[in-house]
């Protein structure tokens, strides 16, 4: 089993398959997420895991995901997020209320990012919540796919109860829709954005 984590060791990707080649994407593995290029008989895909800590602003995570989609280009990319955000876009079941307002505000920001970047939520309606404790239940976990992934395969998404964690088990099954494998393109330039000065960038723009 191969394990890849972000720099804070808050998010991880576990690969339990001997017949695939994994390459950690170092410029895309930061405090805000981990990304691995996986190649096999199915072609080449990007797998990313992101833990959006509730006490942090969402913006740095979105900028890191910007870099992931830029690097992936036309290669399928699948991103698993503990977004700490709720939205009808990924079938969150709890209605708006004062206690959950922060989750919905974050959900609106993430939804805007998805629409701007052509990313789609793979989540499907379910009676089981993705996050479930004795105090609260919510749907704050999101599985995203870029446009290339949505063209490459069909996806089955489900969430099952799991007593070993306060987050339930999410399973995603990808079935390629073409007989030819997906070829990864030559990598586009990438940058380490962990120390980027975004406020200066916005002023210059």
């Amino acid at each position: 089993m191969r394990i890849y984590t972000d720099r804070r060791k808050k998010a991880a990707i576990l690969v339990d398959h001997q017949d695939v080649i994994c390459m950690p994407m170092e410029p895309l593995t930061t405090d805000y997420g981990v990304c691995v290029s996986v190649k096999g008989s199915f072609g080449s895909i990007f797998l990313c895991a992101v833990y959006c800590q509730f006490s942090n602003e969402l913006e740095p995570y979105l900028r890191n995901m910007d870099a992931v989609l830029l690097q992936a280009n036309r290669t399928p990319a699948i991103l698993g997020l503990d977004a700490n955000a709720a939205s009808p876009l990924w079938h969150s079941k709890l209605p708006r209320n004062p206690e959950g307002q922060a989750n919905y505000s974050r959900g609106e920001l993430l939804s805007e990012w998805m629409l701007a970047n052509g990313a789609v939520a793979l989540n499907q309606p379910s009676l089981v919540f993705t996050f479930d404790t004795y105090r609260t239940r919510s749907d704050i976990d999101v599985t995203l796919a870029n446009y290339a992934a949505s063209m490459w395969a069909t996806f089955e998404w489900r969430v099952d109860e799991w007593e070993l964690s306060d987050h339930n088990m999410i399973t995603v099954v990808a079935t390629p829709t073409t007989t030819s494998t997906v070829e990864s393109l030559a990598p586009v330039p990438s940058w380490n954005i962990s120390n980027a000065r975004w406020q200066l960038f916005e002023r210059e723009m």
Side-chain angles (χ1 to χ4, degrees):
M1 179 179 292
R2 287 163 281 181
I3 303 175
Y4 308 91
T5 68
D6 66 7
R7 291 177 182 171
R8 298 180 301 155
K9 300 189 183 302
K10 297 289 188 180
I13 295 173
L14 283 70
V15 180
D16 190 17
H17 199 303
Q18 299 302 316
D19 296 330
V20 298
I21 299 172
C22 297
M23 182 175 68
M25 307 301 291
E26 295 297 340
L28 304 176
T29 297
T30 68
D31 289 348
Y32 304 108
V34 54
C35 187
V36 178
S37 173
V38 182
K39 297 182 181 181
S41 59
F42 48 81
S44 177
I45 64 174
F46 277 24
L47 295 179
C48 304
V50 182
Y51 169 58
C52 303
Q53 191 165 333
F54 186 73
S55 59
N56 294 346
E57 296 292 330
L58 199 57
E59 283 290 349
Y61 302 97
L62 299 182
R63 299 292 75 81
N64 197 69
M65 292 192 296
D66 281 338
V68 168
L69 296 190
L70 176 64
Q71 179 76 21
N73 200 350
R74 285 181 285 170
T75 300
I78 302 171
L79 300 86
L81 281 68
D82 175 355
N84 274 305
S87 169
L89 208 58
W90 48 91
H91 309 288
S92 297
K93 290 183 283 296
L94 291 182
R96 285 183 179 273
N97 56 68
E99 292 77 12
Q101 187 60 46
N103 279 343
Y104 273 97
S105 296
R106 291 165 66 92
E108 290 171 355
L109 186 60
L110 179 55
S111 297
E112 291 173 1
W113 180 89
M114 291 168 56
L115 294 173
N117 288 277
V120 296
L122 301 181
N123 298 46
Q124 294 297 317
S126 173
L127 296 177
V128 179
F129 289 84
T130 66
F131 179 78
D132 193 348
T133 71
Y134 71 93
R135 292 189 305 171
T136 186
R137 300 184 300 176
S138 58
D139 293 299
I140 55 175
D141 300 283
V142 194
T143 310
L144 300 179
N146 67 350
Y147 178 78
S150 66
M151 294 294 100
W152 164 65
T154 58
F155 296 92
E156 297 179 21
W157 185 100
R158 73 173 189 270
V159 55
D160 298 302
E161 293 182 352
W162 195 37
E163 296 181 356
L164 298 180
S165 171
D166 50 11
H167 289 264
N168 282 319
M169 176 72 73
I170 294 173
T171 302
V172 181
V173 178
T175 304
T177 55
T178 61
T179 55
S180 59
T181 59
V182 178
E183 297 293 337
S184 60
L185 303 180
V188 298
S190 61
W191 300 268
N192 185 344
I193 65 170
S194 59
N195 295 316
R197 294 182 292 174
W198 293 111
Q199 292 182 348
L200 176 61
F201 173 78
E202 291 176 356
R203 287 199 299 269
E204 293 295 328
M205 290 295 289

